[in-house]
């Protein structure tokens, strides 16, 4: 088993009003099979032992499903590995002696709360504005009894893979939340349960996205390239189609 030493450059910011700055840390003796977040845990244990303030970073599941572990690693949201969250990234993807820069999402609608933690409640408000269904669907039916074509089910399932992490916003030069909103809108618009609020939902969610200060889609595809769940730009096409359909029908 290889041991690694890395040089870290980490964004430290006390609170929303602090200007923030990068601080350098050297860390050695790392097990290459550690996850990136475990490497940060080791650093924090060292900092605490030295009487210093640990680095604040968001994490929860550490399995790539909750979307909490938002951080930019060497300029890439969630780091260098395609289709992978920061918590699923392992240290064997780095080399001994590497310089690693870690910073928070940089987007005006996601202000930094502390160090690497940003306020992502704008996403919660977008979901509250329409990302739900009102019909009572009962308990989970048998998969074969669901009256949905496999094509529709797969289309909705791929959209449902969005974990709400915000990497798409961090990757976009306009800080657009289009990929996130498009995934949620498309998932529900493709299923029978999503039909009652279909038109109202897309208008409310897109309007709320604008109100939160997210920019417009640039059409460059940076969001799709950096999304850890590889959500397709196709869903933005679908969202735009749904939005126009809703406006024509109203
Ligand atoms: S679309 Fe991808 S990058 Fe954006 S919030 Fe969902 S999972 Fe994260
Ligand atoms: S900690 Fe849950 S996705 Fe990374």
């Amino acid at each position: 088993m290889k041991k690694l030493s890395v040089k870290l450059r980490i964004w430290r910011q006390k609170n929303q009003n602090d200007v923030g700055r990068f601080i350098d840390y050297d860390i050695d003796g790392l097990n290459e099979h550690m996850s990136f977040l475990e490497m940060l845990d080791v650093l924090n244990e060292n900092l605490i032992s030295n009487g210093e303030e640990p680095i604040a970073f968001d994490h929860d599941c550490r399995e790539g499903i909750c979307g909490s572990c938002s951080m930019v690693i060497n300029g890439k949201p969630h780091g260098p590995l395609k289709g992978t969250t920061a918590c699923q990234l392992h240290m064997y993807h780095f080399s001994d002696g590497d310089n690693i820069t870690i910073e928070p999402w940089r987007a005006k609608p996601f202000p930094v709360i502390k160090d690497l933690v940003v306020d992502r409640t704008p996403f919660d408000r977008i979901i509250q504005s329409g990302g739900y269904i009102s019909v009572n669907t009962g308990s989970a039916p048998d998969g074969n009894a669901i009256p949905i074509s496999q094509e529709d089910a797969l289309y909705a399932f791929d959209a449902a893979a969005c974990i709400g992490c915000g990497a798409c916003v961090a990757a976009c030069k306009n800080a657009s939340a289009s990929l996130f909103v498009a995934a949620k809108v498309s998932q529900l618009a493709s299923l029978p349960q999503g039909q009652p609020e279909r038109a109202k939902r897309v208008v409310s969610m897109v309007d709320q996205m604008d109100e939160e200060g997210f920019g417009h889609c640039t059409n460059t595809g940076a969001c799709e390239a950096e999304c850890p769940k590889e959500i397709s730009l196709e869903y933005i096409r679908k969202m735009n189609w749904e939005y126009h359909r809703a406006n024509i029908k109203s």
Side-chain angles (χ1 to χ4, degrees):
M1 186 200 342
K2 263 198 324 203
K3 292 278 180 189
L4 294 179
S5 298
V6 290
K7 292 179 186 308
L8 302 170
R9 196 154 189 259
I10 304 183
W11 185 258
R12 302 299 315 254
Q13 185 173 336
K14 282 190 173 57
N15 53 46
Q16 222 163 312
N17 301 322
D18 182 16
V19 287
R21 71 215 64 83
F22 281 106
I23 306 278
D24 294 335
Y25 301 95
D26 287 346
I27 180 162
D28 50 29
L30 296 168
N31 179 323
E32 64 171 341
H33 294 291
M34 271 179 187
S35 73
F36 198 80
L37 299 193
E38 284 168 340
M39 180 276 291
L40 288 178
D41 291 338
V42 171
L43 174 65
N44 274 348
E45 280 167 18
N46 293 348
L47 290 175
I48 292 166
S49 307
N50 292 337
E52 293 174 50
E53 180 94 6
I55 289 140
F57 65 95
D58 254 341
H59 59 103
D60 189 2
C61 71
R62 299 197 177 205
E63 291 182 330
I65 52 177
C66 75
S68 317
C69 53
S70 50
M71 58 186 75
V72 175
I73 302 166
N74 285 346
K76 292 176 90 64
H78 287 295
L81 216 60
K82 196 165 166 48
T84 306
T85 53
C87 61
Q88 295 275 281
L89 179 67
H90 286 82
M91 292 310 292
Y92 50 72
H93 293 292
F94 296 90
S95 302
D96 192 37
D98 268 1
N99 292 300
I100 306 175
T101 302
I102 312 169
E103 53 192 313
W105 287 169
R106 305 286 190 187
K108 204 168 168 194
F110 287 159
V112 174
I113 295 172
K114 187 171 180 181
D115 299 337
L116 305 175
V117 180
V118 300
D119 179 2
R120 285 179 301 159
T121 53
F123 270 16
D124 296 340
R125 289 189 288 273
I126 292 172
I127 293 293
Q128 283 159 7
S129 73
Y132 53 82
I133 57 167
S134 61
V135 289
N136 184 352
T137 57
S139 57
D142 180 87
N144 293 322
I146 302 172
I148 305 170
S149 70
Q150 192 192 22
E151 198 187 338
D152 287 348
L154 290 177
Y155 188 82
F157 190 79
D158 284 350
C162 168
I163 53 174
C165 63
C168 45
V169 175
C172 178
K173 61 185 174 186
N174 273 0
S176 173
S178 292
L179 196 61
F180 163 73
V181 178
K184 303 302 173 194
V185 163
S186 304
Q187 177 199 342
L188 296 174
S190 308
L191 298 172
Q193 300 93 321
Q195 300 313 306
E197 288 97 4
R198 181 172 173 179
K200 197 169 130 227
R201 172 184 306 113
V202 64
V203 173
S204 306
M205 291 182 80
V206 169
D207 288 353
Q208 188 67 36
M209 166 171 68
D210 290 344
E211 202 171 301
E212 297 290 347
F214 294 103
H216 289 288
C217 176
T218 61
N219 294 314
T220 58
C223 54
E224 182 189 65
E226 302 298 345
C227 171
K229 296 297 161 184
E230 301 184 291
I231 302 291
S232 165
L233 280 182
E234 147 61 24
Y235 293 109
I236 297 184
R237 182 210 59 78
K238 168 83 170 160
M239 175 180 72
N240 291 338
W241 186 86
E242 290 288 332
Y243 190 81
H244 291 306
R245 175 184 177 274
N247 282 321
I248 289 166
K249 284 201 155 195
S250 64

